[in-house]
Each structure stands twice: as structure tokens, then as C-alpha cells.
Amino acid sequence: TTFMEAHRKRLTQGLFLTSGVPGKPVKAMDRMLAAVEILRRKEGYRGYVHIKLLPGAEPAQVEAAARLANRVSINLEAPGDTYLRQLAQEKDFSGDLLPKLKLAGRLLREARQEWRPGRVRPAGTTTQFVVGPSGEKDREILGLVARLEKEELLHHAHFSAFQPVVGTP
């Protein structure tokens, strides 16, 4: 309701939906998808929606996100399992994050090819990397990004720099 009121007043240009709530990712994803479903079906909202997939999201939730949103993202954080374990031991790069990003990328690529007026216009996928804390090489991150872009599974990558704190202030 709050978003639609702001939209009707032309105070918004789109919606970015994510959750930082720890715990049950499937339940949180269901709630985010339900919110977008209400916007699309009940409110008739045809504007921009970006959904951030949570680690542990189900494949059916990825499919629903790709159907409902213009852009779908999942933060890979690092270019592989070894590096990601140093950042977040609870996350699984090759068993969870990367396959979900690839699935979303494939679904959105197909949706772009089949797009017709009146449907959600797919804008692709994005991811984010934390650069530096796990000792990865820039070429490892850029190599992964290049491969995903070449396969048309990724459209944008964002990079957050990590600067270790040395000493005390």
C-alpha cells in the first residue's frame, strides 16, 4: 500500500525488494514474491521491480522471481567456493548461489527473446562481489563475470571494495 501510494504520487521510479532477515530464506522469499504478486496482479503495477534472491531460495522461487520481476539478483560475493567460505561459511557458492544466478539468467534471457507488450520487460540479472578480504585475484572475479556475460546469464556486476583496518583509531 505504501509503495503504491508513493507510485501514484510519482515519488518512485521502481521497487528494489530484498531481505536481510536471518533465518528461513524460503519463507522470506515467499513473502517477497507474494508482495510482488499483489503489486502485479491486484494493483496492476507494470513498473520496474528488482528482486534480490536469498541464499537457500528454492528453484521454483527463482522461476517466480524471473516471471514477476524485471531484474533478479543474487550476491555471489566471491569467485568460488574457497573464497566464499572465508567470507560466509553458511553460504554455498557452487551448490546454491551460482546455480540460482544461472537459472535466473537463463529464464530472463528466454523471457527477453519472447517478450511482448503487456508483459513484464525483463532487464536481466545482477550480482555483487566483495573484493579483497578472501585473497582472490581480480582476474578470477573478472573471468567469472566475463563467462557469465558471454553466456548472457549476467548483465551487471557490482563490486564492493574491502579495506582492512590496521591498528586502532
Side-chain angles (χ1 to χ4, degrees):
T1 301
T2 302
F3 173 76
M4 286 307 297
E5 287 173 5
H7 175 69
R8 286 184 191 102
K9 293 177 183 176
R10 300 187 190 279
L11 299 173
T12 65
Q13 295 180 354
L15 176 67
F16 175 74
L17 198 54
T18 187
S19 173
V21 178
K24 300 176 181 171
V26 172
K27 185 176 180 179
M29 282 301 314
D30 280 344
R31 293 186 68 185
M32 289 192 303
L33 292 167
V36 178
E37 186 83 35
I38 289 168
L39 289 173
R40 296 288 195 213
R41 309 284 182 251
K42 183 180 172 195
E43 298 290 340
Y45 179 69
R46 294 282 166 238
Y48 180 81
V49 174
H50 176 158
I51 294 178
K52 173 91 55 185
L53 297 172
L54 303 178
E58 298 289 331
Q61 293 174 318
V62 177
E63 292 171 10
R67 186 180 69 254
L68 292 167
N70 304 88
R71 185 169 310 279
V72 176
S73 62
I74 189 163
N75 289 352
L76 294 179
E77 312 290 8
D81 289 300
T82 304
Y83 299 120
L84 184 60
R85 270 195 249 31
Q86 293 178 46
L87 298 174
Q89 292 180 356
E90 72 282 358
K91 292 184 180 180
D92 181 358
F93 181 87
S94 59
D96 182 34
L97 302 181
L98 187 59
K100 299 283 176 10
L101 180 67
K102 286 183 174 185
L103 174 58
R106 181 180 54 79
L107 293 169
L108 288 167
R109 180 185 64 216
E110 291 169 3
R112 271 193 317 280
Q113 293 167 349
E114 299 168 4
W115 182 82
R116 290 187 293 281
R119 288 188 175 177
V120 172
R121 184 183 293 271
T125 57
T126 64
T127 192
Q128 179 174 307
F129 293 93
V130 180
V131 179
S134 59
E136 74 285 343
K137 305 271 188 270
D138 291 351
R139 73 175 148 265
E140 292 172 296
I141 295 174
L142 296 176
L144 175 59
V145 169
R147 286 190 305 277
L148 292 170
E149 287 177 340
K150 184 176 181 179
E151 296 173 35
E152 296 183 48
L153 300 175
L154 180 67
H155 288 86
H156 300 285
H158 302 275
F159 306 93
S160 298
F162 174 78
Q163 179 65 42
V165 177
V166 180
T168 57

